[in-house]
């Protein structure tokens, strides 16, 4: 996508799917299903693959997201995101800083940040973040050491910022109504989609809840 198309797609995004640590072939199958169900964004997050295999997987996921016309984000690795012509990168605390990533990637490349306080979120946006993930919204084993802030915190950030804010952490189809009730209609999901018996149906149901 060109920069204006990326920003437009981000502004209209509601369901943000984040991949689990599955084997690449299985992950490709699951990703096709989730995209078929209507996920607006697919983020490659895999903590166990060697970088060479991660790059190979990123290339294939870029292909299927491009075919579907959806945003493709790479977690952590700005270099891999740029190599595969991804739409953006999601940065963590141990990654390049926002200004460093922006200098490397240039304008028009989407950069996401994580924050659960208004001031830290404002600082991230000031430094170049295009969107923010806020959580954990609910208890989750992936972020077990972080205190749950609830979906209402994402609503606070949404009111304070001028960029999209996604509730993240323990979000499932079964608790999406609580996210929507807080005033937020954007959510990141991992197990709620990829761990579902029918990932395509879970994505379709989740997006309907967020947009109805």
């Amino acid at each position: 996508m060109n920069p204006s198309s990326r920003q437009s797609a981000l502004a209209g995004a509601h369901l943000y799917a984040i991949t689990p640590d599955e084997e690449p072939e299985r992950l490709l199958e699951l990703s096709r299903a989730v995209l078929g169900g209507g996920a607006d964004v697919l983020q490659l997050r895999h903590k166990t693959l060697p970088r060479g295999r991660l790059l190979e997987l990123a290339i294939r996921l870029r292909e299927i997201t491009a075919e579907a016309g959806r945003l493709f984000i790479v977690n952590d690795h700005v270099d891999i995101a740029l190599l595969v012509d991804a739409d953006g990168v999601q940065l963590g605390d141990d990654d390049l800083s926002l200004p460093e990533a922006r200098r490397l990637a240039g304008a028009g490349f989407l950069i996401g940040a994580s924050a659960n306080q208004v001031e830290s979120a404002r600082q991230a946006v000031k430094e170049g973040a295009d969107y923010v993930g806020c959580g954990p919204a609910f208890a989750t084993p992936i972020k077990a050491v972080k205190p749950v802030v609830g979906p209402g915190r994402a609503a606070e950030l949404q009111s304070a910022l001028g960029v999209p804010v996604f509730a993240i952490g323990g979000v499932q189809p079964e608790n999406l109504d609580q996210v929507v009730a807080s005033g937020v209609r954007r959510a990141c999901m991992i197990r709620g989609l990829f761990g579902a018996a029918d990932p395509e149906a879970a994505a379709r149901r989740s997006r309907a809840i967020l947009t109805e």
Side-chain angles (χ1 to χ4, degrees):
M1 294 185 187
N2 61 45
S4 62
S5 295
R6 286 171 176 168
Q7 288 291 344
S8 178
L10 177 63
H14 295 275
L15 182 59
Y16 189 125
I18 303 175
T19 64
D21 288 356
E22 291 278 355
E23 282 300 309
E25 289 302 324
R26 176 60 175 160
L27 193 53
L28 288 164
E29 178 187 347
L30 292 170
S31 296
R32 289 189 185 96
V34 167
L35 291 168
D40 302 291
V41 184
L42 181 72
Q43 181 191 127
L44 170 57
R45 179 187 184 277
H46 205 301
K47 297 295 188 179
T48 62
L49 279 181
R51 282 177 60 83
R53 294 189 68 196
L54 188 68
L55 175 59
E56 293 172 1
L57 179 57
I59 290 170
R60 298 180 72 183
L61 287 175
R62 169 72 288 185
E63 291 172 353
I64 67 173
T65 51
E67 289 172 3
R70 309 292 165 72
L71 291 171
F72 179 50
I73 305 294
V74 174
N75 190 62
D76 297 342
H77 305 287
V78 180
D79 55 345
I80 290 178
L82 292 172
L83 281 169
V84 303
D85 195 28
D87 297 298
V89 67
Q90 172 71 30
L91 298 177
D93 294 337
D94 298 325
D95 302 322
L96 290 178
S97 70
L98 278 158
E100 289 169 341
R102 179 59 70 199
R103 283 196 297 272
L104 183 62
F109 187 78
L110 300 178
I111 299 179
S114 298
N116 59 20
Q117 300 291 335
V118 170
E119 286 309 311
S120 58
R122 281 179 172 155
Q123 183 62 30
V125 173
K126 182 179 179 181
E127 292 179 353
D130 295 287
Y131 67 94
V132 171
C134 176
F138 305 97
T140 170
I142 295 176
K143 299 289 185 182
V145 299
K146 289 190 175 183
V148 173
V149 298
R153 184 64 57 80
E156 291 178 28
L157 267 61
Q158 180 177 263
S159 297
L161 306 176
V163 301
V165 176
F166 294 83
I168 185 171
V171 181
Q172 309 280 338
E174 294 74 21
N175 58 30
L176 267 179
D177 58 336
Q178 297 178 52
V179 176
V180 172
S182 76
V184 176
R185 290 188 174 273
R186 294 187 174 94
C188 298
M189 298 175 66
I190 305 176
R191 291 175 299 124
L193 298 178
F194 292 91
D198 186 337
E200 183 171 344
R204 186 173 294 109
R205 176 188 173 195
S206 297
R207 196 176 192 284
I209 293 170
L210 289 167
T211 59
E212 67 185 9

